[in-house]
Amino acid sequence: MHVFTTNKDMLEYLEPFRKAGSTIGFVPTMGAIHTGHQALIKRSGNESDVTIVSIFVNPTQFNDPKDLIKYPRPLAQDIHKISGAGADVLYLPRDEEVYPPDFVPVVFDPGHLQQVMEGPFRPGHFEGVITVVHRLLDVVKPSRLYMGLKDYQQQTIIRHMIKKVQMPVELVPCTIVREEDGLAFSSRNVRIDPALRSIAPSIYQTLLEARKMLETKEADDVRTWGSEILNDLGFRTEYFELCDGISLEPVIQKKEHDLIVGCVAAWLGDVRLIDNLVLKGHPLNA
Ligand code: AMP
């Protein structure tokens, strides 16, 4: 695996592939690589001629500066895991490569897509994500962008951004990868208090129950039930939302939506966990 820290070196390496018409798969990450990231890398490896993974802990998407400082950066292990998953290139840009002095961020307003769910709880987060993903796509110019459905709202917003600013890249949404007990892999899982770890899979269990419940009840009953169950179990639920899987509008009447996704954000001790599950219809990556 080749490791590059400057745009120039990375682009020089990719140039012959581009000229030969090879497909370039891109997996942007913030590091602290786990099995979920590795699945994205493997999928890109299966579908693309060249797979490039980036690690860039983007300061502009952290609404809480403490979170940025606490963000894990186990670089040696990351390199090992990324190479083990079959990446061809690891791109480790320094801040000034991503945000040079003359940098001008893309202008794209996702409107209501960023006002729901994560929006009110993480002010400025999606502006930061839009800025960095656009910038990375603009530099790398991949054929395909691999993103996890774990961050459902994020991939929806990026999908709209790509369409709106007409970037020539295909967004590939990838299935959520879970630990054996159902907890979605996340860089934050290692920070869960061991005494609370056994409760963590209840988010997924509750989403599974919610899917059954939606067969007979309306969305609002399921919302209220889901939040209450998680709070009773010891979480602090920020939202237990049932949204349209395309527009992210809150579901009022389930019959009016072909794709309904249950999205959850809840604190367990001092760790904020998010997860989601398709409750009605076919997942985007099906
Ligand atoms: P992050 O490093 O957390 O910004 O995540 C980088 C990419 O990995 C994003 O596209 C995430 O959606 C994706 N990802 C994170 N966790 C998982 C998971 N458990 N399953 C699938 N994809 C994931």
Side-chain angles (χ1 to χ4, degrees):
M1 183 174 74
H2 300 267
V3 181
F4 299 113
T5 57
T6 66
N7 296 343
K8 186 171 169 289
D9 291 345
M10 185 265 301
L11 292 171
E12 266 173 25
Y13 175 83
L14 289 181
E15 193 51 27
F17 290 98
R18 251 190 261 282
K19 283 210 174 109
S22 306
T23 50
I24 299 173
F26 179 40
V27 185
T29 81
M30 298 210 299
I33 299 300
H34 51 65
T35 313
H37 298 121
Q38 285 181 306
L40 269 57
I41 300 168
K42 285 180 189 163
R43 177 152 178 198
S44 172
N46 288 337
E47 298 175 354
S48 320
D49 299 317
V50 185
T51 290
I52 168 161
V53 178
S54 65
I55 298 181
F56 180 64
V57 183
N58 176 36
T60 69
Q61 73 188 69
F62 285 84
N63 49 305
D64 178 354
K66 285 196 292 282
D67 228 20
L68 173 62
I69 295 163
K70 276 193 293 188
Y71 208 83
R73 293 166 171 85
L75 187 58
Q77 283 141 278
D78 281 356
I79 292 175
H80 185 71
K81 289 179 189 170
I82 291 169
S83 147
D88 302 294
V89 176
L90 173 58
Y91 168 45
L92 290 173
R94 289 186 294 264
D95 281 18
E96 54 275 25
E97 294 287 322
V98 180
Y99 301 126
D102 59 350
F103 173 69
V104 182
V106 63
V107 179
F108 168 66
D109 178 5
H112 87 96
L113 293 175
Q114 71 166 350
Q115 280 148 22
V116 293
M117 299 191 289
E118 292 291 286
F121 295 100
R122 305 188 70 187
H125 170 69
F126 287 122
E127 282 96 330
V129 171
I130 290 164
T131 303
V132 75
V133 175
H134 182 273
R135 169 66 179 154
L136 292 173
L137 289 175
D138 200 35
V139 173
V140 177
K141 296 193 170 40
S143 340
R144 296 197 192 100
L145 168 65
Y146 290 84
M147 295 189 87
L149 286 165
K150 161 102 176 356
D151 300 277
Y152 199 91
Q153 191 171 1
Q154 169 175 286
Q155 69 84 35
T156 304
I157 288 174
I158 296 300
R159 178 181 304 283
H160 277 77
M161 188 266 292
I162 287 171
K163 196 166 169 209
K164 180 81 189 187
V165 306
Q166 299 183 332
M167 295 193 110
V169 61
E170 181 197 347
L171 173 60
V172 182
C174 301
T175 317
I176 301 176
V177 184
R178 301 178 179 282
E179 301 200 25
E180 255 177 38
D181 59 11
L183 176 65
F185 275 105
S186 163
S187 313
R188 295 163 181 226
N189 292 359
V190 291
R191 285 180 32 222
I192 300 173
D193 180 341
L196 299 174
R197 177 60 187 79
S198 62
I199 305 169
S202 307
I203 296 183
Y204 180 53
Q205 300 304 337
T206 306
L207 282 166
L208 288 171
E209 287 290 317
R211 187 162 65 186
K212 264 190 241 148
M213 195 170 181
L214 191 65
E215 288 170 11
T216 53
K217 304 268 191 204
E218 245 329 323
D220 232 10
D221 304 318
V222 180
R223 266 186 200 100
T224 311
W225 172 85
S227 294
E228 282 177 7
I229 281 275
L230 289 179
N231 290 342
D232 288 349
L233 285 164
F235 293 88
R236 265 180 305 124
T237 310
E238 284 188 338
Y239 58 83
F240 195 108
E241 186 55 280
L242 275 72
C243 69
D244 182 278
I246 305 296
S247 71
L248 304 186
E249 295 286 357
V251 172
I252 310 289
Q253 289 198 302
K254 62 184 179 189
K255 67 171 172 11
E256 288 177 6
H257 302 267
D258 296 330
L259 177 60
I260 298 179
V261 183
C263 296
V264 179
W267 289 85
L268 186 56
D270 61 355
V271 180
R272 185 175 186 273
L273 299 170
I274 62 166
D275 200 350
N276 65 79
L277 184 72
V278 171
L279 305 185
K280 180 186 167 191
H282 295 290
L284 290 183
N285 60 326

